[in-house]
Amino acid sequence: PGPRSLALGRIAETARQAYFDMDQLQTHTLVAGSTGGGKTVSAEVIVEEALAHGVSIIVFDPTAQWTGFLRKNAEKKMLAIYPAFGMKPSEAKGFSGNVRQLTDKREIIEVKKFMSPGEITVFVINKLEPQDIDVIVANTVRQVFKSNLPESKELRLLIVLDEVHRLLPKFGGTGQGFMQIERAAREFRKWGVGLMLISQVLTDFVGEIKANINTEIQMRTRDQGDLDRIKNKYGGYMLQSLLKSATGTGMLQNASFNKGNPYFISFRPLMHEHARLADQELENYNKYNEM
């Protein structure tokens, strides 16, 4: 524990708290796993902790799953897990920020405007085609380069790209978004800007992106490529542990911890509501943002 430590949950199968140095997020994070394996929840735990430590968050959300961040958790199943992590129901809370639905791929997002410490901006992109999302992502990366941000050794902004595999050509992307993410992975850290890429598959990330990512979180997966990679890199024992892991428990690997070997974390439950806003509520946000 420390002033820049994020409390993520527990070391799996122990009562020991799992802490993570938030400035490690400056050298970028990949979160992967099959649907239902807990990859979004684990990413959201990190984001909740970063917000509590005054980091600005920008999320590109193609499923509207992150829109509940502004509401406090009232889900009975999630609240029932609180005591196991030493949490009280009174700790459930929403976070300050805004939700905006993007419908025009040419809209320019001036990143500096959304850098309010401890606030989250969720850009919902569920109405856009993969090639349009490509344009938005590429333009946003360019905006960070144009923003003239001061250099920083501490994390100031975390940009979250959910379902990022949709930008790959095989899923309908043009590849230009991915090229800009490669640029971002190389350069962003010097300004205190971290990337968090969330995908169903880790093996899709090769070359420059992979080389510049320091933290990997692998939740439960059925992807054969990822399973083979884990077995080859860490051995059959790690593979068996991952296959047997419960929902919400995942393998975290970062060179600064555990001599570079992966370890398993049971991520704590969420404080905010893990459910998307209804379309009507999203419409209201759009209306008031327009005004």
Side-chain angles (χ1 to χ4, degrees), residues 158-173:
L158 188 63
I159 298 175
V160 181
L161 296 164
D162 201 354
E163 301 275 322
V164 75
H165 53 272
R166 295 183 187 203
L167 299 181
L168 291 163
K170 68 179 178 185
F171 293 105

Side-chain angles (χ1 to χ4, degrees), residues 8-19 85 219 237 241-242 244-252 262-268:
L8 301 186
R10 299 264 164 86
I11 304 291
E13 297 179 11
T14 76
R16 288 183 63 183
Q17 285 274 14
Y19 293 100
F85 288 85
M219 306 304 281
Y237 174 73
S241 301
L242 185 68
K244 287 181 196 156
S245 64
T247 300
T249 296
M251 190 173 96
L252 188 148
Y263 56 100
F264 284 81
I265 289 183
S266 294
F267 286 88
R268 66 162 175 77

Side-chain angles (χ1 to χ4, degrees), residues 58-62 100-111 122-144 159-161 167 174 176-178 180-181:
I58 294 174
V59 182
F60 290 94
D61 178 9
R100 295 189 52 197
Q101 194 152 33
L102 296 181
T103 50
D104 178 8
K105 68 177 180 183
R106 287 176 296 277
E107 184 169 340
I108 297 297
I109 294 160
E110 290 178 49
V111 171
V122 179
F123 289 106
V124 184
I125 48 178
N126 62 342
K127 299 246 171 102
L128 295 173
E129 295 297 318
Q131 54 268 36
D132 297 340
I133 295 172
D134 246 355
V135 175
I136 294 259
V137 168
N139 283 341
T140 304
V141 171
R142 289 188 193 105
Q143 279 302 310
V144 176
I159 298 175
V160 181
L161 296 164
L167 299 181
T174 63
Q176 66 154 319
F178 243 71
Q180 291 301 327
I181 292 170

Side-chain angles (χ1 to χ4, degrees), residues 47 51 55-61 66 98 102 109-116 119-123 140 144 156-162 193-196:
V47 167
L51 285 167
V55 175
S56 311
I57 309 283
I58 294 174
V59 182
F60 290 94
D61 178 9
W66 292 70
N98 198 353
L102 296 181
I109 294 160
E110 290 178 49
V111 171
K112 259 188 172 168
K113 275 189 186 171
F114 300 99
M115 284 181 71
S116 303
E119 291 201 359
I120 182 168
T121 307
V122 179
F123 289 106
T140 304
V144 176
R156 299 172 64 224
L157 169 67
L158 188 63
I159 298 175
V160 181
L161 296 164
D162 201 354
V193 180
L195 286 175
M196 182 183 278

Side-chain angles (χ1 to χ4, degrees), residues 97-288:
N98 198 353
V99 173
R100 295 189 52 197
Q101 194 152 33
L102 296 181
T103 50
D104 178 8
K105 68 177 180 183
R106 287 176 296 277
E107 184 169 340
I108 297 297
I109 294 160
E110 290 178 49
V111 171
K112 259 188 172 168
K113 275 189 186 171
F114 300 99
M115 284 181 71
S116 303
E119 291 201 359
I120 182 168
T121 307
V122 179
F123 289 106
V124 184
I125 48 178
N126 62 342
K127 299 246 171 102
L128 295 173
E129 295 297 318
Q131 54 268 36
D132 297 340
I133 295 172
D134 246 355
V135 175
I136 294 259
V137 168
N139 283 341
T140 304
V141 171
R142 289 188 193 105
Q143 279 302 310
V144 176
F145 279 100
K146 284 180 189 167
S147 292
N148 225 350
L149 296 170
E151 292 201 4
S152 172
K153 285 193 162 54
E154 295 189 342
L155 181 73
R156 299 172 64 224
L157 169 67
L158 188 63
I159 298 175
V160 181
L161 296 164
D162 201 354
E163 301 275 322
V164 75
H165 53 272
R166 295 183 187 203
L167 299 181
L168 291 163
K170 68 179 178 185
F171 293 105
T174 63
Q176 66 154 319
F178 243 71
M179 272 172 57
Q180 291 301 327
I181 292 170
E182 283 189 354
R183 264 184 87 200
R186 281 198 304 269
E187 308 277 349
F188 274 11
R189 70 191 67 173
K190 64 186 175 207
W191 301 307
V193 180
L195 286 175
M196 182 183 278
L197 308 177
I198 305 168
S199 175
Q200 288 178 6
V201 185
L202 267 184
T203 32
D204 285 335
F205 297 91
V206 289
E208 284 285 332
I209 292 181
K210 199 83 166 64
N212 285 291
I213 287 200
N214 218 9
T215 305
E216 287 182 15
I217 299 170
Q218 177 71 64
M219 306 304 281
R220 209 168 51 204
T221 182
R222 288 186 292 276
D223 179 74
Q224 199 54 50
D226 273 352
L227 294 173
D228 290 344
R229 185 185 61 84
I230 291 158
K231 188 176 180 183
N232 293 338
K233 199 168 176 185
Y234 305 118
Y237 174 73
M238 277 296 180
L239 177 64
Q240 288 308 313
S241 301
L242 185 68
L243 289 169
K244 287 181 196 156
S245 64
T247 300
T249 296
M251 190 173 96
L252 188 148
Q253 193 271 329
N254 176 301
S256 304
F257 297 96
N258 201 25
K259 300 181 181 144
N261 295 313
Y263 56 100
F264 284 81
I265 289 183
S266 294
F267 286 88
R268 66 162 175 77
L270 297 170
M271 297 174 188
H272 75 276
E273 186 179 302
H274 183 57
R276 56 164 290 171
L277 295 179
D279 288 342
Q280 185 52 55
E281 291 173 304
L282 275 177
E283 273 308 308
N284 286 340
Y285 274 102
N286 295 342
K287 193 167 78 183
Y288 291 113

